[in-house]
Amino acid sequence: MTLLVIMAPVLFLAATNTINANSVQQIDINAHRFSYEPKEITIKKGHPVTLVFHSQDVSHGFVSEEFRVKTDIPKRGVSKVTFTPQNAGDFVGKCAHFCGAGHGEMQLTIHVVE
């Protein structure tokens, strides 16, 4: 009986780690004139990720050619994109809507690690 009690937590932990390894990582990003917060994120190659964008002021957008994603972020609204990075490296996503004088500087750096 004691052996069963000791093994049950071990089996539970193994099952929990398997579920977490296959789940989609979610990262919240605030968009406001003229930046994303955080400005840089790190994700893992081959693991799906959902970026959840929250506009704090006007409408914004997000586009990344490397990850083949584009979304509109409505004024004070939320938008999501999900993708699985296939290559390691550093990539830059940009605001896809003109949001004022600093629009060209509005970038999100995405570090993809092995």
Side-chain angles (χ1 to χ4, degrees), residues 28-77:
D28 289 289
I29 299 170
N30 291 311
H32 55 85
R33 292 181 172 157
F34 297 101
S35 66
Y36 295 106
E37 295 296 332
K39 294 177 188 249
E40 297 184 23
I41 61 171
T42 301
I43 58 179
K44 288 190 163 201
K45 175 183 168 184
H47 292 262
V49 62
T50 297
L51 304 182
V52 183
F53 293 95
H54 304 266
S55 170
Q56 303 300 310
D57 45 29
V58 299
S59 67
H60 295 282
F62 179 77
V63 63
S64 170
E65 292 179 21
E66 291 86 5
F67 302 119
R68 297 182 181 162
V69 295
K70 182 176 181 183
T71 188
D72 298 321
I73 311 164
K75 179 179 180 178
R76 300 194 191 278

Side-chain angles (χ1 to χ4, degrees), residues 1-11:
M1 188 67 153
T2 303
L3 182 58
L4 180 59
V5 173
I6 292 170
M7 293 299 291
V10 172
L11 292 174

Side-chain angles (χ1 to χ4, degrees), residues 9 23-24 58 71 80 86:
S23 65
V24 177
V58 299
T71 188
K80 298 178 182 182
Q86 300 301 317

Side-chain angles (χ1 to χ4, degrees), residues 8-23:
V10 172
L11 292 174
F12 176 76
L13 288 174
T16 302
N17 289 336
T18 301
I19 292 168
N20 289 337
N22 294 324
S23 65

